[in-house]
Amino acid sequence: MQVIATAGHTDHGKSTLVRALTGMDPHCREPQRSRGLTLDLGHAWLTLPSGEQLAFVDVPGHERFVPNMLAGVGPVPAVLFVVAADEGWKPQSAEHLAALDALGIRRGVLAVTRIDLADPGPALSEAGRLIAGTSLGEVEALAVSAITGEGLPRLIDALARLAGSLPAPDPGAPVRIWVDRACRGADGDAVVTGTLPSGTVRCGDELVITPSMRPVRVRGIEALGEPVTEVAGPARTALSLRGVRHERLGRGMALVHPGRWALADLIDVRLTMPGTPPAGPGPEARLPRTATVHAGAARTPARVRLLGGRIARLSLREPMPLHVGDHVLLRDRSVHGAVVLDVTPPSLSRRGAGASAAAELGAWPDRPAAADLLRRHGLLRASALLAMGVTEHPEPVSGEWLADPGHWADLAARLGEAVTAQVGREPLARGLPLDAARAALGLPDRRLVDALVKPPLRVRDGLIQIAMADTARGAGPELPAGVTAAVQVLLADLAAAPFASPDADRLRHLGLDLRAITAAEQAGLLMRISDQIVLAPGADALAGRVLAGLPQPFTAAEARQALHTTRRVAIPLLEFLDRAGVTQRLPDDRRRLVSRPAG
Ligand SMILES: Nc1nc2c(ncn2[C@@H]2O[C@H](COP(=O)(O)OP(=O)(O)OP(=O)(O)O)[C@@H](O)[C@H]2O)c(=O)[nH]1
Ligand SMILES: [Mg+2]
């Protein structure tokens, strides 16, 4: 089955054409029609010469019912665009076309109808030209009369070509049926009708209803009037449901596969700005503060905050089941299209966070991948990513936890620093408790700390320790007790002031000569920046993070100030970072951060 919607100005002959094509009155229910006007969605279908079925969602053309029109076209991949030969292009022709463009609908056929009343030439050329400038592009155009039947066989051929050209969606895709109607079935069960864009529903399946997330059982399925045991999208379907009363169901809800969708009430989107020429006014000029957001057959009021460029944050009054990559539509006086980039975006409380979010999201593809989302979120559960609509992901770092590689390296460096600081602060403490480490790193799960512990760190009795003796034995001469003690005093100094490398006097005072320092470095207890400069392990990563906060590029003096250190330390440290590829020295002696050092 394929499903297409009608579109076009009121009274141009959409419903009449659907009836002529299918032999069915799309308004089988009384309230859908009043004085010849379609008020709400109608349904009818035909069997194409190929044997494939084509279902129509007939939409109202009157401007008062544009929200109903949007509910009809929201879940479908293609349209039959109708323009009356005797009336030509009209306001809702334009508004419907703008909505189709905003939704990114790419397939359609143009029917210029009522050719028994007027020459179709002008309407064909004007509508064809305007449609070609949208996401629909060039479409097949035909002249027909629903009254005389002229042109109808050719229109059916064109619809068959359209149906054949539509991509076959994945039958294994997660199910999201946008409900457009609910009623009481003959046996008392609740019956909902809706459009299933992709995926498969079977009798006996458990689905959940958004936004209550109440579970329901599918008792029976009808597709185009026939009972079936399963239905695969795209399809118009009626489901009878166990576990819910029909009064509690209605348009705007969706039936979804459990675990595959999360409700989103805050989303970051890229505005697609249909029809805006590249040099035209920016989105800022035209974007409303509030709008109605339409997705599938659902809609909700929303607050709109432009973050920068074409990236905006929408706060939805009613949550919706959305995936990244979904197309939604914003409507106030005009319509704007948007692609969903993030359905669980982080808060933007820091100053400048909106602008940097816009810069980051601006570089994302329309269908963000796991790597994009992980770069933004740092850590995500595989199940959370699945509920965002992303099935492919890298190997978990622990359990079902996925991590961005850069963030993971940073966490490892910070864990090393936290343990070193603890050992320095309390040389007699045997290590850093796992829970304290989890809290210090702000991690959501203790198992992540376990996964971060790598040599020379180790866990003994719930404490993270630096395995000095082991490392020393493995990698070089064992550290004399005096050296270990002296190094711990040094690390205590560095915990308080990480870039205040001890001077020669202090080292001599502690009894640390070059040999002792070399041994401590090999044991992973110290980091030698140059012959004269020693710091705690992880100081390079810490410096990288501090320098990342500076306006780029920066001077050595700015770096020195930001690191709260002296020139004696800053210059060798910067040269060390240059060699490590963390910073780059520019011809004017300033530097810029190239990458964060791995932990
Ligand atoms: N002469 C002639 N009249 C037509 C033709 N198609 C439709 N009509 C008439 O045009 C009027 C409007 O037709 P509808 O099919 O209700 O129009 P619609 O586009 O569904 O209108 P809305 O539901 O309000 O959007 C009716 O009186 C139809 O009889 C045609 O091909 N020729
Ligand atoms: Mg109609």
Side-chain angles (χ1 to χ4, degrees), residues 220-234:
I221 306 175
E222 252 187 37
L224 308 186
E226 298 292 330
V228 290
T229 53
E230 64 171 61
V231 61

Side-chain angles (χ1 to χ4, degrees), residues 10-16 36 38 61 113-114 116-117 145-147:
T10 184
D11 217 30
H12 275 203
K14 296 180 292 299
S15 302
T16 310
T38 302
T113 186
R114 309 211 303 203
D116 52 304
L117 299 181
S145 166
I147 300 296

Side-chain angles (χ1 to χ4, degrees), residues 3 98 123 133 173 198 259 302 334 348 437 460 545 560:
V3 185
S198 59
S334 51
L348 297 175
R460 289 280 188 282
R545 281 208 303 280
R560 178 180 60 69

Side-chain angles (χ1 to χ4, degrees), residues 6-19 26-27 32-40 58-62 65 82 84 86 96 112-118 144-150:
T6 59
H9 195 77
T10 184
D11 217 30
H12 275 203
K14 296 180 292 299
S15 302
T16 310
L17 185 57
V18 169
R19 192 167 53 235
H27 310 103
Q32 288 166 342
R33 191 170 167 85
S34 154
R35 278 176 275 115
L37 218 66
T38 302
L39 310 180
D40 205 344
D58 182 38
V59 308
H62 194 278
F65 308 120
V82 175
D86 55 322
H96 285 195
V112 169
T113 186
R114 309 211 303 203
I115 58 168
D116 52 304
L117 299 181
V144 299
S145 166
I147 300 296
T148 66
E150 188 183 345

Side-chain angles (χ1 to χ4, degrees), residues 167-191:
D170 177 7
V175 160
R176 178 176 55 180
I177 298 177
W178 294 105
V179 174
D180 47 45
R181 191 158 74 82
C183 62
R184 187 168 181 276
D187 49 6
D189 279 350
V191 174

